[in-house]
Amino acid sequence: MLKKGERIDQLYAEDIQIIQSSEVFSFSIDAVLLANFARVPKRGQIIDLCAGNGAIGLFLSRKTSAAIDQIELQPRLADMGQRSIVLNHLEEQLTMHEMDLKNTFDVFRKDSADLVVCNPPYFKELPTSQKNPNPHLAIARHEIHATLEDVVSVSAKLLKMNGRFAMVHRPDRFLEIVDCLRANRIAPKRIQFVYPKPGKEANTLLIEGIKDGKSEGLRFLPPLYTYDQSGSYSADLQEMLYGN
């Protein structure tokens, strides 16, 4: 089951095992935050874009009976995600597609998804940007193969009317994200900022929008803290990671 350099980690709260490797990309707190933030339909279709090693889809599987399709460009990550699906006996519910986001509609119909989730690359691909020398990590973190506009426009086309889009990103791109969502007919509805700990600036943004939703009714949720003052996980994070 495991290949060289791989290990199995566990998200205890959802009783999910996930194949990871420090050589490529391991799921981070961001994946756990997004899986807990997204409002998940009980049935229907969920699509996870930029799926990486499949963490978000795996975590969501415990909350719904919807079919979950995952799209990941990097063969090595898609392969790890596929083996994690088998490891958790979720072949009936989850499917990993190794493909470029830009080819989504070769496989999926437009206006078909109830929820699209995405943990995209956060950093603009600029000539000046310092990229990770590890190409797996560079692609996961920088907009080399998929920009914010790519992610949002594909998501908007995938979603049914009133379908939901949920994404984790960086607060410094907040205004750009809102503009991009609105330009693609996704109305921002719920926003939550995540802070490393009390007294620090936000370092993570969670945002949800509804396709063809009304422009009013935007809600800002209470702040979420990753750590408490003593440096331990906050109560909220403990529950997400380890359950009650």
Side-chain angles (χ1 to χ4, degrees):
M1 192 70 180
L2 289 181
K3 296 184 177 175
K4 186 171 173 290
E6 293 179 349
R7 63 179 190 274
I8 294 177
D9 288 344
Q10 187 139 7
L11 183 73
Y12 293 96
E14 307 296 351
D15 190 28
I16 285 286
Q17 293 187 308
I18 182 159
I19 295 170
Q20 310 239 74
S21 167
S22 53
E23 293 166 23
V24 281
F25 175 79
S26 298
F27 83 82
S28 63
I29 293 292
D30 294 358
V32 179
L33 291 169
L34 181 57
N36 279 276
F37 172 78
R39 288 187 290 177
V40 184
K42 287 280 171 248
R43 57 193 68 82
Q45 184 174 40
I46 297 171
I47 297 179
D48 175 14
L49 300 178
C50 309
N53 63 352
I56 294 166
L58 290 163
F59 302 158
L60 290 179
S61 70
R62 295 292 192 239
K63 305 174 193 290
T64 179
S65 54
I68 302 173
D69 286 279
Q70 303 182 288
I71 295 176
E72 172 51 44
L73 172 73
Q74 297 195 57
R76 176 134 184 227
L77 289 175
D79 172 57
M80 288 163 70
Q82 177 56 40
R83 285 180 288 127
S84 288
I85 291 170
V86 174
L87 181 64
N88 291 282
H89 310 293
L90 288 167
E91 300 94 322
E92 298 286 299
Q93 187 182 10
L94 271 75
T95 311
M96 175 63 78
H97 305 264
E98 182 200 314
M99 58 189 273
D100 192 316
L101 198 68
K102 297 178 182 73
N103 302 330
T104 298
F105 300 102
D106 297 350
V107 177
F108 295 96
R109 285 185 304 115
K110 293 184 178 175
D111 308 311
S112 64
D114 299 279
L115 170 68
V116 175
V117 292
C118 187
N119 179 3
Y122 294 141
F123 303 110
K124 282 184 183 288
E125 171 57 7
L126 302 170
T128 52
S129 52
Q130 289 288 316
K131 282 187 281 300
N132 196 299
N134 178 329
H136 297 289
L137 295 175
I139 289 169
R141 290 176 184 163
H142 292 266
E143 296 181 338
I144 296 168
H145 293 290
T147 64
L148 177 65
E149 170 61 38
D150 294 334
V151 165
V152 174
S153 69
V154 166
S155 299
K157 293 184 185 100
L158 280 170
L159 285 168
K160 295 175 176 171
M161 188 173 172
N162 293 325
R164 290 198 183 104
F165 172 70
M167 180 170 70
V168 56
H169 216 292
R170 289 287 175 262
D172 61 332
R173 297 186 69 183
F174 176 54
L175 293 179
E176 184 190 353
I177 289 165
V178 168
D179 288 346
C180 190
L181 290 176
R182 296 181 69 178
N184 285 281
R185 296 169 40 203
I186 296 176
K189 289 293 179 183
R190 288 164 69 236
I191 288 163
Q192 187 169 36
F193 289 100
V194 185
Y195 301 79
K197 62 183 191 185
K200 296 282 189 194
E201 290 187 12
N203 62 352
T204 303
L205 163 71
L206 295 161
I207 187 163
E208 177 193 80
I210 292 183
K211 181 173 174 183
D212 295 324
K214 296 189 175 76
S215 58
E216 63 267 17
L218 173 61
R219 294 164 51 213
F220 285 82
L221 304 187
L224 194 57
Y225 298 102
T226 311
Y227 298 98
D228 61 23
Q229 292 291 20
S230 71
S232 306
Y233 280 126
S234 66
D236 287 328
L237 254 291
Q238 294 240 16
E239 188 174 327
M240 289 182 200
L241 292 167
Y242 304 109
N244 290 324

